[in-house]
């Protein structure tokens, strides 16, 4: 009598949940075969064969290094939930403090200092906070918390935005956004930081896109925006394709508030260039350059100034900067205050020595 060949069984997913098989079976391309992770051997995908293989000497010996019974148990000290909660609260407070007052890298030393100063305190002993964990706490715990609070505080009230575009040290365009709104909880007008958005470029279209992303992030209604405050750059206030012009197409009642400091700076620059002699700016620039690159000149001038003013040190001569608004006022004041008594004698003495 001819015996029929056994039915070729295939790998079954439910075997991965079998207590006897789940630790070592591995599926292969050939569905009728199964591979043993410990023995590095293959066998037919029959449950009886797999069960028999699990009890062979070869398999038991190969699986010994992977047995959890052979691994040493780490002697963790039991910590109460109350201590864990207090330690986590302390870590959150430290992260918030570091974020507000210093560089995040300093938390590496701060956590060790706290553990050293409060040695024996259960809460301080279990503080494990360094820059990576601190960054994670700020991003994943503190920021979402304050974001939700800010969204609830703004609600559906009207608001205005302060915008300023800049380029960071890594040459990436950033848009800083602050918001001004009336807080129902505080019963006062609040001005606070809203977001820092990375821009694709410095164009008005990119800035408007960043503003809309920020508004969407906080679930704000763009029609509740009453105005924007920005500098006088053409990207922001251009009549045809500036940020204000593009936003006003969607928000008809939008008001533009130009930066007063920047406006005054432009007015002063125009007045200086149109109505004052050119040699005044040359005098300010060369006065700074005369002392800036010579330690001996600074020392000799300081000695002269001390002798003429009863030991009082002179104020530092500042540079007229094109990026610091109204910096010319400080430069002019310093030169005028020290010109008659000290600068004039210094420059005359240098000229005579030539």
């Amino acid at each position: 009598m001819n015996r029929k060949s056994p039915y070729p069984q295939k790998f079954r997913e439910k075997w991965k949940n079998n207590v006897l098989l789940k630790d070592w079976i591995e599926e292969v391309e050939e569905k009728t075969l199964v591979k043993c992770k410990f023995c590095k051997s293959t066998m037919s995908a029959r449950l009886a064969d797999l069960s028999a293989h699990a009890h062979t000497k070869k398999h038991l010996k190969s699986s010994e290094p992977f047995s959890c019974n052979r691994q040493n148990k780490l002697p963790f000290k039991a910590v109460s939930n109350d201590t864990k909660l207090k330690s986590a609260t302390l870590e959150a407070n430290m992260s918030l403090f570091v974020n507000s007052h210093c560089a995040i890298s300093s938390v590496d030393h701060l956590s060790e200092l706290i553990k050293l100063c409060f040695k024996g305190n259960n809460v301080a002993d279990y503080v494990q906070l360094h820059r990576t964990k601190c960054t994670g706490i700020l991003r994943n715990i503190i920021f979402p918390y304050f974001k939700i609070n800010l969204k609830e505080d703004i609600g559906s009230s009207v608001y205005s935005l302060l915008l300023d575009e800049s380029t960071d040290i890594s040459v990436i365009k950033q848009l800083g956004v602050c918001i001004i709104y009336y807080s129902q909880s505080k019963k006062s007008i609040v001005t606070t930081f809203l977001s820092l958005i990375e821009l694709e470029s410095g164009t008005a279209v990119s800035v408007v896109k960043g503003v809309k992303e920020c508004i969407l992030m906080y679930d704000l209604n763009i029609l509740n925006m009453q105005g924007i405050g920005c500098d006088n750059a053409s990207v922001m206030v251009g009549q045809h394709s500036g940020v204000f012009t593009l936003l006003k197409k969607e928000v008809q009642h939008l008001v533009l508030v130009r930066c007063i400091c920047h406006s005054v700076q432009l007015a002063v620059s125009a007045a200086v260039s149109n109505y004052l002699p050119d040699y005044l700016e040359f005098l300010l620039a060369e006065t700074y350059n005369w002392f800036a690159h010579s330690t001996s000149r600074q020392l000799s001038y300081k000695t002269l100034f001390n002798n003429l003013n009863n030991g009082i040190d002179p104020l530092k001569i500042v540079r007229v900067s094109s990026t610091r608004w109204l910096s010319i006022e400080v430069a002019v004041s310093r030169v005028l205050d020290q010109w008659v008594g000290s600068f004039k004698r210094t420059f005359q003495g240098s000229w005579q020595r030539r």
Side-chain angles (χ1 to χ4, degrees), residues 6 11 18 35 42 55 65 104 129 140 142 165 170-171 179 259 283 309:
F11 182 87
N18 190 304
K35 183 179 180 180
T42 57
H55 295 90
I104 293 181
L129 185 65
N140 304 318
I142 294 180
E165 182 268 335
S170 58
V171 200
I179 188 170
C259 177
L283 177 63
N309 296 276

Side-chain angles (χ1 to χ4, degrees), residues 259-286:
C259 177
I260 297 176
C261 296
H262 194 193
S263 300
V264 173
Q265 165 67 21
L266 294 177
V268 170
S269 298
V272 170
S273 60
N274 294 333
Y275 298 101
L276 294 180
D278 294 338
Y279 64 80
L280 291 180
E281 290 192 38
F282 174 80
L283 177 63
L284 293 175
E286 290 304 315

